[in-house]
Amino acid sequence: MTISFDVLPLIGEQMSGVGYCQAGLITELLQKHPEYNYTFDFFSFRNHQKKEERLLSYQTEQVRLNRVCFPGAFYRMIMNFIPFSYSYFFGREAEITHFFNYLVPPHVFGKTVVTVHDMVIWAFPETVRWKTKVLLKTGLKQSMKRADRIITDSYFSKQEIIKYYPRYQEKIRVVPCGVDLKRFYRITDQAEINRVKDKLKITGDYFLYVGTIEPRKNLLRLIKGYQLFCKKYPQAPQLVLAGGKGWMNQKFYAWIQKVGLEDRLCFTEYVASEDLCALYNGAVSFFFPSYYEGFGIPPLEAMACAVPVLVSFEASLPEVVGECGVYVNAYDEQSIADGIERLYTDPSLRRELSQRGQERAKEFTWEHAAEKLYLVYKELLDETKNKDT
């Protein structure tokens, strides 16, 4: 059997959450099921070598790169309007092709699987950049119609898909995201933590947020809550916000300058993968009061590093964090301030959440997730065999 993956999320300069989700699942699938053949499909109009280098860590004897020299962005832009065949570019060898980023192109050979991570396009459309909005609004319904199975990251997201696209309910399967416990774990070497702090120009104790700087992450309210907290505790740790710049953040940065918070905040921008574990480990607590998440990998990574977390009650976050975090109202700055104070002033609570969080993280491994995904593939293959006989 040959399984093909659209590896667009893996070949960009900076990996997003979708990329890390695909990387975790593919890595485990290749290890656990070497009996299959795999192809990595991707468009590449330029910089072919760099893109292939980013795929080196996944390559085994069972993996074949299937690169097509054509502008992929152009294909994705027109495919919702002109049904140009995907098989024309990538052939007809795969029994299953899996697309990890919402959209299934027209005329894919064999069975198709698509991962739809959330319904933010309908739940919070104002937080989605216009290009993504156009692609999803014009293509998502058609993609789910084309797909033989729809994978989503949480039971919350499953209900969201059913809410907006009830006719595809029978196709949906939940495959939770995971955390790589070899990458994220408790560090006892303070020198390694200090190395990363020096590299990122972080001084002293700090609270931490990890994720893209964009509207739906609720960073404006987080900082307003942090500001209220600092009025009560002037010597409190600084707040480190680690992540690449998203969109619609100009007003956000302008407000920070206006209220004079530059000295209390540290923006690291994108953090290299090898530095993330130490960055988590150095934090007093981790904050993630997002409005909307299909899963929410950063809190899970923090928990694996034994860092106590603060999250909102919203979306899938309670499903991920369980009883291992402090919960706040995402829409109330005072609630966020109270949650920060609770964590900051109660060392015994931090220790308890640290221990609970580590145990909770062990329930969400990529190994478990990949096995659930494999069962979806097997289900499709069994359907094909039964149909043929």
Side-chain angles (χ1 to χ4, degrees):
M1 184 180 73
T2 298
I3 300 174
S4 288
F5 301 116
D6 167 36
V7 293
L8 172 67
L10 300 181
I11 59 176
E13 290 186 11
Q14 297 181 355
M15 281 236 284
S16 66
V18 172
Y20 283 114
C21 176
Q22 183 174 12
L25 287 167
I26 286 180
T27 300
E28 288 296 333
L29 278 170
L30 294 178
Q31 291 179 2
K32 299 297 181 183
H33 296 283
E35 67 272 21
Y36 299 129
N37 296 314
Y38 301 90
T39 61
F40 287 9
D41 297 343
F42 63 103
F43 290 104
S44 178
F45 196 53
R46 57 175 67 89
N47 299 323
H48 308 315
Q49 185 176 349
K50 286 185 178 180
K51 292 170 184 173
E52 291 184 4
E53 286 174 356
R54 290 171 187 142
L55 298 172
L56 280 175
S57 62
Y58 309 100
Q59 292 185 37
T60 67
E61 291 182 0
Q62 289 75 31
V63 173
R64 179 177 67 87
L65 300 188
N66 194 9
R67 172 171 61 82
V68 172
C69 187
F70 189 83
F74 176 71
Y75 179 74
R76 287 186 294 278
M77 184 173 64
I78 67 167
M79 71 181 189
N80 293 334
F81 307 99
I82 304 173
F84 205 86
S85 172
Y86 185 83
S87 296
Y88 172 81
F89 292 106
F90 294 104
R92 300 166 62 86
E93 296 179 9
E95 279 85 354
I96 295 174
T97 302
H98 189 162
F99 300 88
F100 283 82
N101 203 10
Y102 295 89
L103 298 178
V104 176
H107 308 301
V108 180
F109 180 77
K111 297 288 186 178
T112 56
V113 177
V114 65
T115 299
V116 177
H117 299 276
D118 55 44
M119 286 283 106
V120 69
I121 181 65
W122 299 118
F124 288 91
E126 70 278 6
T127 69
V128 181
R129 64 180 73 221
W130 71 268
K131 182 180 176 182
T132 304
K133 196 180 298 187
V134 170
L135 283 173
L136 293 181
K137 283 193 172 182
T138 58
L140 189 54
K141 181 179 179 181
Q142 190 65 20
S143 290
M144 289 195 285
K145 181 179 180 180
R146 291 170 181 151
D148 294 289
R149 291 293 184 274
I150 299 164
I151 300 294
T152 196
D153 304 330
S154 63
Y155 288 96
F156 165 79
S157 287
K158 177 180 178 179
Q159 293 307 313
E160 286 285 278
I161 297 172
I162 293 170
K163 175 180 171 182
Y164 293 103
Y165 298 97
R167 66 180 295 182
Y168 303 118
Q169 177 173 352
E170 297 304 315
K171 293 184 179 183
I172 303 171
R173 303 291 183 271
V174 176
V175 177
C177 295
V179 59
D180 185 348
L181 298 178
K182 294 178 182 177
R183 284 185 63 220
F184 297 100
Y185 53 90
R186 187 165 201 165
I187 292 178
T188 56
D189 183 3
Q190 188 61 42
E192 173 63 10
I193 295 172
N194 291 338
R195 179 192 68 79
V196 172
K197 287 177 65 176
D198 291 342
K199 179 179 178 179
L200 300 175
K201 297 180 172 59
I202 300 170
T203 57
D205 293 338
Y206 61 94
F207 299 124
L208 179 65
Y209 159 85
V210 173
T212 309
I213 309 300
E214 62 182 7
R216 70 178 168 128
K217 302 302 182 180
N218 198 23
L219 297 183
L220 188 58
R221 278 204 175 90
L222 169 60
I223 292 173
K224 287 181 177 179
Y226 173 70
Q227 187 181 28
L228 290 172
F229 165 76
C230 288
K231 288 179 180 178
K232 193 170 181 181
Y233 299 92
Q235 303 304 315
Q238 66 178 322
L239 175 57
V240 173
L241 297 106
K245 291 182 179 179
W247 75 300
M248 281 181 64
N249 51 39
Q250 294 86 353
K251 292 182 179 179
F252 172 69
Y253 289 113
W255 177 81
I256 289 170
Q257 290 183 334
K258 182 179 177 182
V259 298
L261 280 174
E262 298 98 323
D263 293 341
R264 303 306 303 259
L265 305 176
C266 174
F267 289 90
T268 69
E269 297 192 8
Y270 188 78
V271 176
S273 176
E274 62 269 20
D275 295 332
L276 266 176
C277 183
L279 180 65
Y280 278 120
N281 270 270
V284 176
S285 300
F286 177 79
F287 303 156
F288 203 78
S290 179
Y291 293 129
Y292 194 89
E293 296 291 328
F295 186 80
I297 290 179
L300 192 58
E301 292 173 343
M303 290 158 62
C305 295
V307 179
V309 302
L310 174 149
V311 295
S312 70
F313 287 108
E314 303 300 318
S316 63
L317 291 174
E319 191 176 328
V320 175
V321 175
E323 297 181 356
C324 304
V326 168
Y327 287 91
V328 298
N329 182 345
Y331 299 91
D332 185 345
E333 293 95 339
Q334 188 60 57
S335 174
I336 294 172
D338 292 343
I340 296 172
E341 180 179 7
R342 188 178 167 204
L343 275 173
Y344 180 63
T345 59
D346 193 340
S348 63
L349 174 63
R350 294 202 302 273
R351 286 193 295 271
E352 181 182 349
L353 294 180
S354 170
Q355 293 170 357
R356 281 196 210 166
Q358 272 194 302
E359 291 304 311
R360 177 81 173 175
K362 293 175 184 177
E363 300 175 19
F364 291 92
T365 65
W366 287 119
E367 182 180 3
H368 294 157
E371 198 56 30
K372 287 191 174 186
L373 180 58
Y374 166 74
L375 292 176
V376 176
Y377 294 163
K378 190 172 183 301
E379 180 184 12
L380 283 174
L381 292 171
D382 289 345
E383 283 182 6
T384 303
K385 289 178 182 177
N386 292 335
K387 187 177 180 180
D388 290 343
T389 56

